[in-house]
Amino acid sequence: MGERQSDGGLAGRASRHALLDSEVEALIAASLIRDGVDAEAEQRAVAAFRAARDDGAHRTRTRLRDDWRPRERRRYLGLSLRTTLGVLFASLTLGGVAVAAIGAAGSPADGPDDGRGHPPATSGTPSDPARTPSRGGDPGRPSGTATGSAPTRPDRPAPAQDTEAHCRAYQQVEGRGRAMDATAWQRLVDAAGGERNVTRYCAAQLERSTPEPKPTQSGGSENSGASENSGTSGNKGSGENNGTDKGQDKSTPARPNGRSQ
Amino acid sequence: MQAHDGELGAAVARAQQGDEAAFAVAYRIVQPALLGYLRGIVGDDAEDVASDAWLEIARDLGRFKGDGAGFRGWTATIARHRALDHLRRQRVRPRSSALEQDVLELPGPQSTHEQALEAMSTEHALELVRGLPRDQAEAVLLRVVVGLDGPAAARVLGKRPGAVRTAAYRGLKRLAGQLGAESVTDDAPRTLGEST
């Protein structure tokens, strides 16, 4: 500060002598904040508090403007360019991955797709089971995702593949931007049965969809090539309960073995 | 002032359970900064406006949710609304005479010379802050005097954080220029030395 002033003595004016922000802040705070409170004013406030408390006024509902918990504040921060870009990026990513999944599923999986494209027998299954979060957790129950709505839209990738693609996208965009706004994302949340379940649901999905060496080799070795074939095409060949409905024509006996090991 | 936030949060929580003494503690922690903020907006009427604000704070305390920092933001919002009401009323009614206020503001006979100087520098700082455009003045006051962070100040003002950040930045720069200019021309070396 001293040298600044000696400078100033020579050169003169304001522009040369802008203070640091912290100095201004300290000066303003020191000037405007007076320590200590007026006892009388405090008594009035406390009396008002007492009256309100005794009237039961304090048992009132919290309005939005009364909620100052930190989460709220952070959400407030998010109204920015970054958010917009995040949503754009997420939707592009989700879309791109979904397209890639269609391409990948189309070619190598022709065989199993045939077997799987028309299980009309199971088309009556309501699609609701697909929305239950316990889908992967209950091995005894036939899973509805793959069969529930696939027959109604033969030109689209099965919803399970959709889901898988979304799960992959989710892992990629996780923590960046607000992918939550994308429609595809909402579908994934529905399928998982709630936002909180998405991570677990996706973990189950992806685990199921990646070809597992152990069941294929041990259980599938006694088996025909059908199970390995399906293993290459995403979630269809996975050793889990997807097999219960669609795998009946191919490798029913092998599946339970593979799973039990 | 943020150092008190933990204590403040605890006091508020106890006051919400009905603890009168805890409410008094919260009052003593919050009031000085709140009053400083209000001085920057309504000047000498700050005490009255603060009283009104505290009536509302005392009444609505049960509605509040948050920690110590949140309580600063919540109370500043209430105080601000009362201040804006006050300014609206003032526009309708003729103001009380400046002369009368000046008389009331004169330091009493027991004031030492030093106290008088301090009072002057407060008045002067106030004058500078109130000379800023309103948005800059409020942004500076909320950040510097009330001690809110950017998002909280933005919420109090009902503006986007970026806008408030910019306003605070410009306000501080402007004050820095004015104070710096004074530090060269008048007795500012002494004033600055005392206050920083």
Side-chain angles (χ1 to χ4, degrees), chain B residues 77-113:
Chain B
T77 308
I78 291 173
R80 179 170 191 264
H81 287 153
R82 294 285 72 78
L84 296 185
D85 284 351
H86 179 81
L87 292 177
R88 246 174 257 130
R89 279 199 303 273
Q90 261 191 348
R91 232 172 285 142
V92 179
R93 262 190 347 220
R95 299 185 61 156
S96 57
S97 82
L99 183 71
E100 184 186 321
Q101 281 176 2
D102 283 347
V103 170
L104 289 174
E105 285 299 316
L106 278 178
Q110 79 279 15
S111 294
T112 64
H113 177 65

PDB file of all heavy atoms in Angstrom, chain B residues 77-113:
ATOM      1  N   THR B  77     -33.352 -12.161   2.326  1.00  0.00           N
ATOM      2  CA  THR B  77     -34.462 -12.045   1.384  1.00  0.00           C
ATOM      3  C   THR B  77     -35.640 -11.318   2.023  1.00  0.00           C
ATOM      4  O   THR B  77     -36.243 -10.411   1.424  1.00  0.00           O
ATOM      5  CB  THR B  77     -34.916 -13.445   0.920  1.00  0.00           C
ATOM      6  OG1 THR B  77     -33.791 -14.172   0.462  1.00  0.00           O
ATOM      7  CG2 THR B  77     -35.935 -13.330  -0.202  1.00  0.00           C
ATOM      8  N   ILE B  78     -35.939 -11.710   3.249  1.00  0.00           N
ATOM      9  CA  ILE B  78     -37.057 -11.066   3.952  1.00  0.00           C
ATOM     10  C   ILE B  78     -36.753  -9.582   4.165  1.00  0.00           C
ATOM     11  O   ILE B  78     -37.593  -8.707   3.909  1.00  0.00           O
ATOM     12  CB  ILE B  78     -37.315 -11.773   5.292  1.00  0.00           C
ATOM     13  CG1 ILE B  78     -37.878 -13.178   5.036  1.00  0.00           C
ATOM     14  CG2 ILE B  78     -38.264 -10.958   6.160  1.00  0.00           C
ATOM     15  CD1 ILE B  78     -38.003 -14.031   6.271  1.00  0.00           C
ATOM     16  N   ALA B  79     -35.532  -9.289   4.612  1.00  0.00           N
ATOM     17  CA  ALA B  79     -35.160  -7.895   4.862  1.00  0.00           C
ATOM     18  C   ALA B  79     -35.237  -7.073   3.578  1.00  0.00           C
ATOM     19  O   ALA B  79     -35.682  -5.926   3.575  1.00  0.00           O
ATOM     20  CB  ALA B  79     -33.742  -7.830   5.435  1.00  0.00           C
ATOM     21  N   ARG B  80     -34.837  -7.695   2.493  1.00  0.00           N
ATOM     22  CA  ARG B  80     -34.852  -6.977   1.215  1.00  0.00           C
ATOM     23  C   ARG B  80     -36.284  -6.626   0.811  1.00  0.00           C
ATOM     24  O   ARG B  80     -36.554  -5.506   0.349  1.00  0.00           O
ATOM     25  CB  ARG B  80     -34.200  -7.836   0.143  1.00  0.00           C
ATOM     26  CG  ARG B  80     -34.187  -7.184  -1.215  1.00  0.00           C
ATOM     27  CD  ARG B  80     -33.319  -7.944  -2.183  1.00  0.00           C
ATOM     28  NE  ARG B  80     -33.139  -7.150  -3.383  1.00  0.00           N
ATOM     29  CZ  ARG B  80     -33.884  -7.295  -4.480  1.00  0.00           C
ATOM     30  NH1 ARG B  80     -34.832  -8.204  -4.496  1.00  0.00           N
ATOM     31  NH2 ARG B  80     -33.686  -6.529  -5.529  1.00  0.00           N
ATOM     32  N   HIS B  81     -37.184  -7.578   0.994  1.00  0.00           N
ATOM     33  CA  HIS B  81     -38.580  -7.282   0.642  1.00  0.00           C
ATOM     34  C   HIS B  81     -39.137  -6.139   1.488  1.00  0.00           C
ATOM     35  O   HIS B  81     -39.823  -5.248   0.983  1.00  0.00           O
ATOM     36  CB  HIS B  81     -39.443  -8.539   0.808  1.00  0.00           C
ATOM     37  CG  HIS B  81     -39.183  -9.546  -0.262  1.00  0.00           C
ATOM     38  ND1 HIS B  81     -39.365 -10.891  -0.087  1.00  0.00           N
ATOM     39  CD2 HIS B  81     -38.744  -9.398  -1.529  1.00  0.00           C
ATOM     40  CE1 HIS B  81     -39.049 -11.531  -1.196  1.00  0.00           C
ATOM     41  NE2 HIS B  81     -38.665 -10.645  -2.089  1.00  0.00           N
ATOM     42  N   ARG B  82     -38.791  -6.175   2.771  1.00  0.00           N
ATOM     43  CA  ARG B  82     -39.262  -5.084   3.637  1.00  0.00           C
ATOM     44  C   ARG B  82     -38.638  -3.762   3.178  1.00  0.00           C
ATOM     45  O   ARG B  82     -39.300  -2.727   3.180  1.00  0.00           O
ATOM     46  CB  ARG B  82     -38.890  -5.360   5.087  1.00  0.00           C
ATOM     47  CG  ARG B  82     -39.582  -6.562   5.718  1.00  0.00           C
ATOM     48  CD  ARG B  82     -41.047  -6.278   6.064  1.00  0.00           C
ATOM     49  NE  ARG B  82     -41.884  -6.201   4.868  1.00  0.00           N
ATOM     50  CZ  ARG B  82     -42.322  -7.260   4.195  1.00  0.00           C
ATOM     51  NH1 ARG B  82     -42.046  -8.464   4.625  1.00  0.00           N
ATOM     52  NH2 ARG B  82     -43.057  -7.110   3.105  1.00  0.00           N
ATOM     53  N   ALA B  83     -37.376  -3.790   2.785  1.00  0.00           N
ATOM     54  CA  ALA B  83     -36.712  -2.563   2.340  1.00  0.00           C
ATOM     55  C   ALA B  83     -37.349  -2.019   1.067  1.00  0.00           C
ATOM     56  O   ALA B  83     -37.559  -0.810   0.933  1.00  0.00           O
ATOM     57  CB  ALA B  83     -35.223  -2.829   2.116  1.00  0.00           C
ATOM     58  N   LEU B  84     -37.673  -2.916   0.148  1.00  0.00           N
ATOM     59  CA  LEU B  84     -38.287  -2.454  -1.096  1.00  0.00           C
ATOM     60  C   LEU B  84     -39.676  -1.883  -0.820  1.00  0.00           C
ATOM     61  O   LEU B  84     -40.063  -0.873  -1.414  1.00  0.00           O
ATOM     62  CB  LEU B  84     -38.359  -3.602  -2.113  1.00  0.00           C
ATOM     63  CG  LEU B  84     -36.993  -4.140  -2.572  1.00  0.00           C
ATOM     64  CD1 LEU B  84     -37.167  -5.179  -3.656  1.00  0.00           C
ATOM     65  CD2 LEU B  84     -36.086  -3.019  -3.052  1.00  0.00           C
ATOM     66  N   ASP B  85     -40.417  -2.525   0.090  1.00  0.00           N
ATOM     67  CA  ASP B  85     -41.711  -1.965   0.505  1.00  0.00           C
ATOM     68  C   ASP B  85     -41.514  -0.554   1.046  1.00  0.00           C
ATOM     69  O   ASP B  85     -42.267   0.367   0.725  1.00  0.00           O
ATOM     70  CB  ASP B  85     -42.333  -2.829   1.613  1.00  0.00           C
ATOM     71  CG  ASP B  85     -42.926  -4.112   1.063  1.00  0.00           C
ATOM     72  OD1 ASP B  85     -43.010  -4.239  -0.179  1.00  0.00           O
ATOM     73  OD2 ASP B  85     -43.285  -4.989   1.871  1.00  0.00           O
ATOM     74  N   HIS B  86     -40.506  -0.424   1.868  1.00  0.00           N
ATOM     75  CA  HIS B  86     -40.224   0.857   2.495  1.00  0.00           C
ATOM     76  C   HIS B  86     -39.935   1.926   1.436  1.00  0.00           C
ATOM     77  O   HIS B  86     -40.452   3.047   1.509  1.00  0.00           O
ATOM     78  CB  HIS B  86     -39.029   0.698   3.434  1.00  0.00           C
ATOM     79  CG  HIS B  86     -38.622   1.959   4.112  1.00  0.00           C
ATOM     80  ND1 HIS B  86     -39.249   2.441   5.230  1.00  0.00           N
ATOM     81  CD2 HIS B  86     -37.641   2.857   3.813  1.00  0.00           C
ATOM     82  CE1 HIS B  86     -38.677   3.570   5.597  1.00  0.00           C
ATOM     83  NE2 HIS B  86     -37.689   3.853   4.748  1.00  0.00           N
ATOM     84  N   LEU B  87     -39.108   1.551   0.461  1.00  0.00           N
ATOM     85  CA  LEU B  87     -38.773   2.521  -0.584  1.00  0.00           C
ATOM     86  C   LEU B  87     -40.013   2.900  -1.399  1.00  0.00           C
ATOM     87  O   LEU B  87     -40.177   4.054  -1.798  1.00  0.00           O
ATOM     88  CB  LEU B  87     -37.699   1.945  -1.512  1.00  0.00           C
ATOM     89  CG  LEU B  87     -36.318   1.749  -0.877  1.00  0.00           C
ATOM     90  CD1 LEU B  87     -35.359   1.119  -1.863  1.00  0.00           C
ATOM     91  CD2 LEU B  87     -35.767   3.080  -0.362  1.00  0.00           C
ATOM     92  N   ARG B  88     -40.889   1.931  -1.618  1.00  0.00           N
ATOM     93  CA  ARG B  88     -42.118   2.219  -2.350  1.00  0.00           C
ATOM     94  C   ARG B  88     -42.983   3.211  -1.581  1.00  0.00           C
ATOM     95  O   ARG B  88     -43.520   4.164  -2.147  1.00  0.00           O
ATOM     96  CB  ARG B  88     -42.902   0.912  -2.567  1.00  0.00           C
ATOM     97  CG  ARG B  88     -42.988   0.505  -4.021  1.00  0.00           C
ATOM     98  CD  ARG B  88     -43.625  -0.853  -4.170  1.00  0.00           C
ATOM     99  NE  ARG B  88     -42.624  -1.878  -4.449  1.00  0.00           N
ATOM    100  CZ  ARG B  88     -42.516  -3.031  -3.803  1.00  0.00           C
ATOM    101  NH1 ARG B  88     -43.336  -3.329  -2.820  1.00  0.00           N
ATOM    102  NH2 ARG B  88     -41.588  -3.890  -4.154  1.00  0.00           N
ATOM    103  N   ARG B  89     -43.100   2.966  -0.293  1.00  0.00           N
ATOM    104  CA  ARG B  89     -43.893   3.899   0.533  1.00  0.00           C
ATOM    105  C   ARG B  89     -43.276   5.287   0.525  1.00  0.00           C
ATOM    106  O   ARG B  89     -43.977   6.284   0.468  1.00  0.00           O
ATOM    107  CB  ARG B  89     -43.955   3.390   1.979  1.00  0.00           C
ATOM    108  CG  ARG B  89     -44.985   2.307   2.207  1.00  0.00           C
ATOM    109  CD  ARG B  89     -45.312   2.202   3.690  1.00  0.00           C
ATOM    110  NE  ARG B  89     -44.141   1.954   4.515  1.00  0.00           N
ATOM    111  CZ  ARG B  89     -43.666   0.733   4.775  1.00  0.00           C
ATOM    112  NH1 ARG B  89     -44.261  -0.329   4.277  1.00  0.00           N
ATOM    113  NH2 ARG B  89     -42.600   0.579   5.538  1.00  0.00           N
ATOM    114  N   GLN B  90     -41.961   5.326   0.574  1.00  0.00           N
ATOM    115  CA  GLN B  90     -41.274   6.613   0.594  1.00  0.00           C
ATOM    116  C   GLN B  90     -41.554   7.416  -0.660  1.00  0.00           C
ATOM    117  O   GLN B  90     -41.653   8.630  -0.631  1.00  0.00           O
ATOM    118  CB  GLN B  90     -39.770   6.387   0.691  1.00  0.00           C
ATOM    119  CG  GLN B  90     -39.243   6.536   2.079  1.00  0.00           C
ATOM    120  CD  GLN B  90     -37.739   6.572   2.064  1.00  0.00           C
ATOM    121  OE1 GLN B  90     -37.108   6.265   1.057  1.00  0.00           O
ATOM    122  NE2 GLN B  90     -37.157   6.942   3.171  1.00  0.00           N
ATOM    123  N   ARG B  91     -41.668   6.703  -1.760  1.00  0.00           N
ATOM    124  CA  ARG B  91     -41.912   7.389  -3.014  1.00  0.00           C
ATOM    125  C   ARG B  91     -43.277   8.079  -2.973  1.00  0.00           C
ATOM    126  O   ARG B  91     -43.469   9.126  -3.569  1.00  0.00           O
ATOM    127  CB  ARG B  91     -41.862   6.383  -4.177  1.00  0.00           C
ATOM    128  CG  ARG B  91     -40.926   6.824  -5.267  1.00  0.00           C
ATOM    129  CD  ARG B  91     -40.754   5.720  -6.285  1.00  0.00           C
ATOM    130  NE  ARG B  91     -39.895   4.649  -5.790  1.00  0.00           N
ATOM    131  CZ  ARG B  91     -40.115   3.354  -6.045  1.00  0.00           C
ATOM    132  NH1 ARG B  91     -41.158   2.982  -6.745  1.00  0.00           N
ATOM    133  NH2 ARG B  91     -39.286   2.452  -5.601  1.00  0.00           N
ATOM    134  N   VAL B  92     -44.208   7.444  -2.242  1.00  0.00           N
ATOM    135  CA  VAL B  92     -45.534   8.043  -2.153  1.00  0.00           C
ATOM    136  C   VAL B  92     -45.536   9.206  -1.166  1.00  0.00           C
ATOM    137  O   VAL B  92     -46.010  10.299  -1.457  1.00  0.00           O
ATOM    138  CB  VAL B  92     -46.564   6.983  -1.720  1.00  0.00           C
ATOM    139  CG1 VAL B  92     -47.938   7.612  -1.598  1.00  0.00           C
ATOM    140  CG2 VAL B  92     -46.571   5.847  -2.735  1.00  0.00           C
ATOM    141  N   ARG B  93     -44.971   8.944  -0.006  1.00  0.00           N
ATOM    142  CA  ARG B  93     -44.961   9.957   1.050  1.00  0.00           C
ATOM    143  C   ARG B  93     -43.751  10.859   0.895  1.00  0.00           C
ATOM    144  O   ARG B  93     -42.707  10.422   0.449  1.00  0.00           O
ATOM    145  CB  ARG B  93     -44.888   9.270   2.409  1.00  0.00           C
ATOM    146  CG  ARG B  93     -46.217   9.135   3.072  1.00  0.00           C
ATOM    147  CD  ARG B  93     -46.076   8.672   4.499  1.00  0.00           C
ATOM    148  NE  ARG B  93     -44.768   8.181   4.848  1.00  0.00           N
ATOM    149  CZ  ARG B  93     -44.561   7.128   5.623  1.00  0.00           C
ATOM    150  NH1 ARG B  93     -45.587   6.460   6.080  1.00  0.00           N
ATOM    151  NH2 ARG B  93     -43.356   6.745   5.952  1.00  0.00           N
ATOM    152  N   PRO B  94     -43.883  12.111   1.294  1.00  0.00           N
ATOM    153  CA  PRO B  94     -42.690  12.968   1.295  1.00  0.00           C
ATOM    154  C   PRO B  94     -41.695  12.477   2.349  1.00  0.00           C
ATOM    155  O   PRO B  94     -42.083  11.992   3.408  1.00  0.00           O
ATOM    156  CB  PRO B  94     -43.248  14.346   1.661  1.00  0.00           C
ATOM    157  CG  PRO B  94     -44.558  14.083   2.318  1.00  0.00           C
ATOM    158  CD  PRO B  94     -45.090  12.824   1.720  1.00  0.00           C
ATOM    159  N   ARG B  95     -40.448  12.588   2.018  1.00  0.00           N
ATOM    160  CA  ARG B  95     -39.426  12.121   2.958  1.00  0.00           C
ATOM    161  C   ARG B  95     -39.302  13.053   4.153  1.00  0.00           C
ATOM    162  O   ARG B  95     -39.569  14.245   4.061  1.00  0.00           O
ATOM    163  CB  ARG B  95     -38.068  12.050   2.249  1.00  0.00           C
ATOM    164  CG  ARG B  95     -38.040  11.109   1.109  1.00  0.00           C
ATOM    165  CD  ARG B  95     -36.638  11.028   0.573  1.00  0.00           C
ATOM    166  NE  ARG B  95     -35.718  10.528   1.594  1.00  0.00           N
ATOM    167  CZ  ARG B  95     -34.570   9.922   1.278  1.00  0.00           C
ATOM    168  NH1 ARG B  95     -34.235   9.763   0.025  1.00  0.00           N
ATOM    169  NH2 ARG B  95     -33.776   9.485   2.221  1.00  0.00           N
ATOM    170  N   SER B  96     -38.862  12.483   5.229  1.00  0.00           N
ATOM    171  CA  SER B  96     -38.578  13.334   6.385  1.00  0.00           C
ATOM    172  C   SER B  96     -37.368  14.189   6.029  1.00  0.00           C
ATOM    173  O   SER B  96     -36.522  13.801   5.239  1.00  0.00           O
ATOM    174  CB  SER B  96     -38.287  12.479   7.614  1.00  0.00           C
ATOM    175  OG  SER B  96     -37.211  11.620   7.321  1.00  0.00           O
ATOM    176  N   SER B  97     -37.322  15.344   6.646  1.00  0.00           N
ATOM    177  CA  SER B  97     -36.336  16.311   6.169  1.00  0.00           C
ATOM    178  C   SER B  97     -34.914  15.851   6.456  1.00  0.00           C
ATOM    179  O   SER B  97     -34.629  15.267   7.492  1.00  0.00           O
ATOM    180  CB  SER B  97     -36.583  17.660   6.848  1.00  0.00           C
ATOM    181  OG  SER B  97     -35.984  17.638   8.116  1.00  0.00           O
ATOM    182  N   ALA B  98     -34.069  16.160   5.523  1.00  0.00           N
ATOM    183  CA  ALA B  98     -32.675  15.753   5.650  1.00  0.00           C
ATOM    184  C   ALA B  98     -32.017  16.468   6.823  1.00  0.00           C
ATOM    185  O   ALA B  98     -31.152  15.918   7.487  1.00  0.00           O
ATOM    186  CB  ALA B  98     -31.926  16.058   4.357  1.00  0.00           C
ATOM    187  N   LEU B  99     -32.479  17.672   7.044  1.00  0.00           N
ATOM    188  CA  LEU B  99     -31.881  18.460   8.118  1.00  0.00           C
ATOM    189  C   LEU B  99     -32.059  17.762   9.457  1.00  0.00           C
ATOM    190  O   LEU B  99     -31.121  17.582  10.218  1.00  0.00           O
ATOM    191  CB  LEU B  99     -32.551  19.850   8.140  1.00  0.00           C
ATOM    192  CG  LEU B  99     -31.965  20.813   9.178  1.00  0.00           C
ATOM    193  CD1 LEU B  99     -30.571  21.232   8.732  1.00  0.00           C
ATOM    194  CD2 LEU B  99     -32.864  22.031   9.349  1.00  0.00           C
ATOM    195  N   GLU B 100     -33.297  17.354   9.698  1.00  0.00           N
ATOM    196  CA  GLU B 100     -33.613  16.700  10.958  1.00  0.00           C
ATOM    197  C   GLU B 100     -32.720  15.464  11.147  1.00  0.00           C
ATOM    198  O   GLU B 100     -32.189  15.220  12.220  1.00  0.00           O
ATOM    199  CB  GLU B 100     -35.078  16.303  10.914  1.00  0.00           C
ATOM    200  CG  GLU B 100     -35.604  15.702  12.191  1.00  0.00           C
ATOM    201  CD  GLU B 100     -37.024  15.219  11.983  1.00  0.00           C
ATOM    202  OE1 GLU B 100     -37.780  15.918  11.281  1.00  0.00           O
ATOM    203  OE2 GLU B 100     -37.357  14.144  12.491  1.00  0.00           O
ATOM    204  N   GLN B 101     -32.570  14.713  10.065  1.00  0.00           N
ATOM    205  CA  GLN B 101     -31.738  13.510  10.164  1.00  0.00           C
ATOM    206  C   GLN B 101     -30.292  13.871  10.489  1.00  0.00           C
ATOM    207  O   GLN B 101     -29.651  13.226  11.284  1.00  0.00           O
ATOM    208  CB  GLN B 101     -31.786  12.728   8.856  1.00  0.00           C
ATOM    209  CG  GLN B 101     -33.056  11.911   8.747  1.00  0.00           C
ATOM    210  CD  GLN B 101     -33.148  11.205   7.422  1.00  0.00           C
ATOM    211  OE1 GLN B 101     -32.236  11.304   6.609  1.00  0.00           O
ATOM    212  NE2 GLN B 101     -34.243  10.531   7.210  1.00  0.00           N
ATOM    213  N   ASP B 102     -29.827  14.933   9.865  1.00  0.00           N
ATOM    214  CA  ASP B 102     -28.442  15.328  10.112  1.00  0.00           C
ATOM    215  C   ASP B 102     -28.230  15.682  11.584  1.00  0.00           C
ATOM    216  O   ASP B 102     -27.218  15.325  12.178  1.00  0.00           O
ATOM    217  CB  ASP B 102     -28.075  16.532   9.248  1.00  0.00           C
ATOM    218  CG  ASP B 102     -27.815  16.121   7.818  1.00  0.00           C
ATOM    219  OD1 ASP B 102     -27.680  14.897   7.594  1.00  0.00           O
ATOM    220  OD2 ASP B 102     -27.762  16.990   6.949  1.00  0.00           O
ATOM    221  N   VAL B 103     -29.223  16.358  12.134  1.00  0.00           N
ATOM    222  CA  VAL B 103     -29.106  16.715  13.545  1.00  0.00           C
ATOM    223  C   VAL B 103     -29.017  15.452  14.393  1.00  0.00           C
ATOM    224  O   VAL B 103     -28.188  15.327  15.287  1.00  0.00           O
ATOM    225  CB  VAL B 103     -30.316  17.569  13.969  1.00  0.00           C
ATOM    226  CG1 VAL B 103     -30.319  17.742  15.483  1.00  0.00           C
ATOM    227  CG2 VAL B 103     -30.263  18.922  13.276  1.00  0.00           C
ATOM    228  N   LEU B 104     -29.890  14.481  14.063  1.00  0.00           N
ATOM    229  CA  LEU B 104     -29.889  13.252  14.848  1.00  0.00           C
ATOM    230  C   LEU B 104     -28.566  12.494  14.707  1.00  0.00           C
ATOM    231  O   LEU B 104     -28.143  11.808  15.612  1.00  0.00           O
ATOM    232  CB  LEU B 104     -31.036  12.347  14.395  1.00  0.00           C
ATOM    233  CG  LEU B 104     -32.422  12.860  14.788  1.00  0.00           C
ATOM    234  CD1 LEU B 104     -33.497  11.982  14.173  1.00  0.00           C
ATOM    235  CD2 LEU B 104     -32.551  12.909  16.293  1.00  0.00           C
ATOM    236  N   GLU B 105     -27.962  12.648  13.565  1.00  0.00           N
ATOM    237  CA  GLU B 105     -26.743  11.888  13.314  1.00  0.00           C
ATOM    238  C   GLU B 105     -25.499  12.483  13.947  1.00  0.00           C
ATOM    239  O   GLU B 105     -24.464  11.857  13.987  1.00  0.00           O
ATOM    240  CB  GLU B 105     -26.498  11.768  11.801  1.00  0.00           C
ATOM    241  CG  GLU B 105     -27.408  10.764  11.118  1.00  0.00           C
ATOM    242  CD  GLU B 105     -27.222   9.369  11.676  1.00  0.00           C
ATOM    243  OE1 GLU B 105     -26.056   8.969  11.869  1.00  0.00           O
ATOM    244  OE2 GLU B 105     -28.208   8.693  11.942  1.00  0.00           O
ATOM    245  N   LEU B 106     -25.631  13.720  14.400  1.00  0.00           N
ATOM    246  CA  LEU B 106     -24.436  14.352  14.961  1.00  0.00           C
ATOM    247  C   LEU B 106     -23.914  13.555  16.141  1.00  0.00           C
ATOM    248  O   LEU B 106     -24.688  13.127  16.992  1.00  0.00           O
ATOM    249  CB  LEU B 106     -24.766  15.780  15.445  1.00  0.00           C
ATOM    250  CG  LEU B 106     -24.765  16.857  14.365  1.00  0.00           C
ATOM    251  CD1 LEU B 106     -25.153  18.202  14.997  1.00  0.00           C
ATOM    252  CD2 LEU B 106     -23.386  16.965  13.731  1.00  0.00           C
ATOM    253  N   PRO B 107     -22.617  13.402  16.203  1.00  0.00           N
ATOM    254  CA  PRO B 107     -22.059  12.672  17.334  1.00  0.00           C
ATOM    255  C   PRO B 107     -22.331  13.435  18.624  1.00  0.00           C
ATOM    256  O   PRO B 107     -22.269  14.673  18.663  1.00  0.00           O
ATOM    257  CB  PRO B 107     -20.556  12.613  17.036  1.00  0.00           C
ATOM    258  CG  PRO B 107     -20.312  13.523  15.886  1.00  0.00           C
ATOM    259  CD  PRO B 107     -21.614  13.785  15.217  1.00  0.00           C
ATOM    260  N   GLY B 108     -22.654  12.684  19.642  1.00  0.00           N
ATOM    261  CA  GLY B 108     -22.956  13.326  20.919  1.00  0.00           C
ATOM    262  C   GLY B 108     -21.715  13.948  21.528  1.00  0.00           C
ATOM    263  O   GLY B 108     -20.601  13.709  21.058  1.00  0.00           O
ATOM    264  N   PRO B 109     -21.924  14.733  22.551  1.00  0.00           N
ATOM    265  CA  PRO B 109     -20.787  15.432  23.163  1.00  0.00           C
ATOM    266  C   PRO B 109     -19.748  14.478  23.739  1.00  0.00           C
ATOM    267  O   PRO B 109     -18.578  14.829  23.840  1.00  0.00           O
ATOM    268  CB  PRO B 109     -21.438  16.268  24.281  1.00  0.00           C
ATOM    269  CG  PRO B 109     -22.811  15.693  24.461  1.00  0.00           C
ATOM    270  CD  PRO B 109     -23.198  15.048  23.173  1.00  0.00           C
ATOM    271  N   GLN B 110     -20.191  13.262  24.101  1.00  0.00           N
ATOM    272  CA  GLN B 110     -19.226  12.353  24.715  1.00  0.00           C
ATOM    273  C   GLN B 110     -18.332  11.675  23.681  1.00  0.00           C
ATOM    274  O   GLN B 110     -17.392  10.985  24.028  1.00  0.00           O
ATOM    275  CB  GLN B 110     -19.955  11.296  25.549  1.00  0.00           C
ATOM    276  CG  GLN B 110     -20.569  10.163  24.755  1.00  0.00           C
ATOM    277  CD  GLN B 110     -21.909  10.553  24.163  1.00  0.00           C
ATOM    278  OE1 GLN B 110     -22.260  11.738  24.116  1.00  0.00           O
ATOM    279  NE2 GLN B 110     -22.671   9.590  23.694  1.00  0.00           N
ATOM    280  N   SER B 111     -18.658  11.878  22.399  1.00  0.00           N
ATOM    281  CA  SER B 111     -17.860  11.208  21.384  1.00  0.00           C
ATOM    282  C   SER B 111     -16.454  11.760  21.331  1.00  0.00           C
ATOM    283  O   SER B 111     -16.243  12.965  21.374  1.00  0.00           O
ATOM    284  CB  SER B 111     -18.496  11.395  20.000  1.00  0.00           C
ATOM    285  OG  SER B 111     -19.721  10.747  19.960  1.00  0.00           O
ATOM    286  N   THR B 112     -15.530  10.872  21.223  1.00  0.00           N
ATOM    287  CA  THR B 112     -14.158  11.340  21.047  1.00  0.00           C
ATOM    288  C   THR B 112     -13.961  11.723  19.596  1.00  0.00           C
ATOM    289  O   THR B 112     -14.778  11.407  18.734  1.00  0.00           O
ATOM    290  CB  THR B 112     -13.168  10.226  21.394  1.00  0.00           C
ATOM    291  OG1 THR B 112     -13.362   9.185  20.457  1.00  0.00           O
ATOM    292  CG2 THR B 112     -13.389   9.732  22.796  1.00  0.00           C
ATOM    293  N   HIS B 113     -12.873  12.315  19.347  1.00  0.00           N
ATOM    294  CA  HIS B 113     -12.560  12.707  17.988  1.00  0.00           C
ATOM    295  C   HIS B 113     -12.466  11.480  17.085  1.00  0.00           C
ATOM    296  O   HIS B 113     -12.938  11.458  15.948  1.00  0.00           O
ATOM    297  CB  HIS B 113     -11.236  13.472  17.965  1.00  0.00           C
ATOM    298  CG  HIS B 113     -10.797  13.862  16.599  1.00  0.00           C
ATOM    299  ND1 HIS B 113     -11.504  14.751  15.829  1.00  0.00           N
ATOM    300  CD2 HIS B 113      -9.742  13.470  15.853  1.00  0.00           C
ATOM    301  CE1 HIS B 113     -10.903  14.894  14.672  1.00  0.00           C
ATOM    302  NE2 HIS B 113      -9.827  14.125  14.654  1.00  0.00           N
TER     303      HIS B 113
END
